[in-house]
Amino acid sequence: MKAVVTRDIDKYAVEDVTLDGPKAGELKIKMAATGVCHSDLSVINGTLPLPKPMVLGHEGAGVVAEVGEGVTEFEVGDHVVLSFAPACGHCHFCNHKLPQFCEKGAPTGLMLDGTARVKKGDEDLLVMQFLGCMAEEAIVPAISAVKIDKEIPLEKAALVGCGVMTGVGAVINTAGVHAGASVAVFGCGGVGLSIIQGARLAGASTIIAVDLADNKLEMARNFGATHTVNGGNEDAVGKCKELTGGHGPDYSFEAVGVPDLMVAANFATRRGGTTVIVGVGKLTDSVPFNALMLSMDGKTIKGSFYGDTNFRSDMPMLLDLYRAGKLNLDDMVSQTYTIDEAPQAIEDMVAGKNARGVIVY
Ligand code: CXF
Ligand code: ZN
């Protein structure tokens, strides 16, 4: 089968590889669609320090093609969305309503039993987030999949596997944005646009989108931004204050992973408000906060991982919102690609062309 593999920093290619069958507790998925996410690029360029060679892909949906021993919740033909974090349901974090931090989720690149399923000759290939779903087929832990309604188009469903869940979840689960709130979103890629959609769903009355690219700001308006600010020509923090009666937004979200933008988002937030850091930055970067003002301004700074999701309930819920016409996934898929076109899809993402590019098999 074909898979997108990174072997060295800044290098990746579509390769022909083989796939073993599913072992106990696993599923074989015939992939239907895989979204291309900045975190795939972060594996390629080493921002996410994961071992290589690694099959990319962590935002996917497909059809169950084989069921491993002991799996009772799925059968062949089921449509599933894949979660990039497994949830065992029994560990400390699963038992404390934090399944996004399930103890099974430490990303080694191997499957949960410590062995590999993807091979190139005798060589073992690792997979991103137990999935490696930028490939025609994938073996995944059954505890990383959720069954969805067969009527939902799989190329739309794939997006809730990462970007849409991360963004909408940051608004609903992490921040708990209330109706009538003011919200600023710094960075309007797939995650930022999903934060904007989440804010619209939560009933925010002011939604300020900040980006450097006018095409992203135009998309932001389409997804629900009430105001747009090009941070390249305008003082974004000043504009956020001006648009919120001089106080700053109740909630600011950073969706890129850049320290200066995290600082700007927190500067913009009103006194007593909440700044949510959604962007995945570099391990080597730190962000300062002012020792006097953090207490004086009473702001909350929260990190949000995977939209603090309980994916088994949240992902079908998001797809229900899609079906009800309340969550726009149709415009989120701004371009589709074949797997042979994966390099083009990654280039287009770097160039900021897409809301989301999706590989369709
Ligand atoms: C990332 C977070 C770090 C692990 C891979 C996925 N989130 C979104 O892309
Ligand atoms: Zn992602």
Side-chain angles (χ1 to χ4, degrees):
M1 66 160 185
K2 289 177 182 175
V4 184
V5 181
T6 176
R7 291 177 175 275
D8 291 301
I9 295 284
D10 289 336
K11 299 216 159 50
Y12 59 95
V14 182
E15 294 192 17
D16 262 313
V17 299
T18 59
L19 189 64
D20 289 350
K23 289 199 180 169
E26 296 177 349
L27 301 169
K28 178 171 166 177
I29 309 294
K30 186 171 169 21
M31 294 309 302
T34 308
V36 184
C37 172
H38 267 96
S39 299
D40 295 300
L41 183 65
S42 296
V43 176
I44 295 169
N45 65 26
T47 299
L48 274 175
L50 295 176
K52 295 172 173 103
M54 179 169 273
V55 181
L56 298 170
H58 63 283
E59 179 179 278
V63 179
V64 175
E66 255 181 78
V67 174
E69 195 191 312
V71 176
T72 53
E73 315 81 37
F74 295 93
E75 51 190 52
V76 171
D78 281 346
H79 287 202
V80 292
V81 172
L82 305 178
S83 164
F84 70 69
C88 73
H90 310 295
C91 70
H92 175 83
F93 289 101
C94 285
N95 281 340
H96 287 79
K97 299 185 183 161
L98 296 165
Q100 73 275 27
F101 300 129
C102 173
E103 287 171 10
K104 298 269 186 197
T108 60
L110 296 166
M111 301 308 286
L112 292 170
D113 70 355
T115 64
R117 302 287 167 276
V118 187
K119 308 276 163 70
K120 179 124 181 173
D122 291 340
E123 181 192 26
D124 282 347
L125 298 190
L126 303 171
V127 292
M128 186 174 179
Q129 300 301 128
F130 304 95
L131 304 178
C133 63
M134 207 175 279
E136 290 172 305
E137 295 178 331
I139 301 291
V140 307
I143 59 170
S144 298
V146 59
K147 216 185 287 187
I148 61 161
D149 196 296
K150 289 186 179 165
E151 281 170 21
I152 309 278
L154 287 163
E155 78 270 18
K156 311 288 162 52
L159 301 196
V160 310
C162 178
V164 172
M165 187 69 256
T166 298
V168 177
V171 176
I172 310 281
N173 298 331
T174 309
V177 168
H178 56 276
S182 52
V183 168
V185 182
F186 288 74
C188 299
V191 170
L193 294 172
S194 300
I195 292 171
I196 290 166
Q197 290 219 61
R200 178 176 45 73
L201 281 166
S205 50
T206 303
I207 304 174
I208 306 164
V210 181
D211 203 283
L212 297 172
D214 286 331
N215 70 322
K216 290 290 168 72
L217 293 173
E218 206 178 303
M219 292 181 201
R221 285 233 178 234
N222 179 42
F223 288 110
T226 55
H227 303 81
T228 55
V229 179
N230 188 319
N233 353 318
E234 288 177 281
D235 163 23
V237 173
K239 222 37 199 158
C240 285
K241 300 259 182 212
E242 188 188 313
L243 291 166
T244 52
H247 305 294
D250 302 322
Y251 301 91
S252 299
F253 294 83
E254 197 276 353
V256 185
V258 169
D260 283 351
L261 213 55
M262 296 178 185
V263 170
N266 194 43
F267 266 130
T269 304
R270 70 150 161 77
R271 292 187 82 184
T274 300
T275 307
V276 183
I277 306 300
V278 187
V280 183
K282 289 197 180 123
L283 188 58
T284 46
D285 279 345
S286 292
V287 183
F289 56 78
N290 186 280
L292 175 65
M293 296 316 290
L294 193 66
S295 129
M296 291 291 283
D297 281 344
K299 296 183 188 180
T300 301
I301 304 175
K302 276 185 161 183
S304 180
F305 179 71
Y306 212 167
D308 284 334
T309 185
N310 181 339
F311 76 83
R312 289 192 186 90
S313 50
D314 283 348
M315 290 184 183
M317 180 269 287
L318 291 183
L319 294 173
D320 281 346
L321 287 169
Y322 167 66
R323 208 185 344 218
K326 296 186 175 182
L327 179 69
N328 181 354
L329 298 179
D330 294 333
D331 294 335
M332 280 298 291
V333 181
S334 51
Q335 183 70 52
T336 59
Y337 303 85
T338 65
I339 188 157
D340 290 316
E341 293 167 336
Q344 185 66 51
I346 292 170
E347 271 176 44
D348 287 353
M349 176 178 67
V350 173
K353 288 194 182 156
N354 288 322
R356 210 50 149 189
V358 176
I359 295 170
V360 175
Y361 303 88

